[in-house]
């Protein structure tokens, strides 16, 4: 998940799973194990804002990813 926020000064942002082991960075394959609550936090010198989202994974791709070509 990508966490975006605007502010002055621009805030730093972080999005992480609320519980359970985090996934490796850069991993694009999604599985049902990734379902759950994620919390995004934006912080600057004026304070912070927090939002959460619940992610549901309805199916899981088990094949191989194909890139490029026809």
């Amino acid at each position: 998940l990508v966490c975006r926020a605007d502010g002055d000064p621009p805030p730093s942002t972080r999005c992480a799973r609320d519980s359970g082991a985090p996934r490796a960075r850069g991993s694009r394959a999604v599985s049902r194990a990734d379902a759950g609550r994620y919390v995004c936090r934006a912080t600057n010198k004026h304070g912070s804002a927090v939002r959460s989202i619940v992610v549901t994974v309805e199916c899981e791709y088990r094949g191989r990813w194909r890139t490029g070509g026809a």
Side-chain angles (χ1 to χ4, degrees):
L1 294 175
V2 176
C3 180
R4 294 187 183 135
D6 294 318
D8 186 17
S12 61
T13 58
R14 178 185 168 117
C15 190
R17 190 165 181 181
D18 193 34
S19 62
R23 295 274 316 245
R25 285 188 170 258
S27 177
R28 293 196 181 267
V30 175
S31 74
R32 289 185 177 114
D34 295 312
R37 184 171 180 250
Y38 288 79
V39 176
C40 295
R41 177 182 301 271
T43 306
N44 69 12
K45 70 179 184 177
H46 300 293
S48 62
V50 178
R51 297 292 185 265
S52 65
I53 185 171
V54 175
V55 174
T56 303
V57 180
E58 294 183 0
C59 69
E60 181 175 330
Y61 181 75
R62 294 179 185 247
R64 301 178 108 200
W65 291 103
R66 292 178 58 189
T67 57

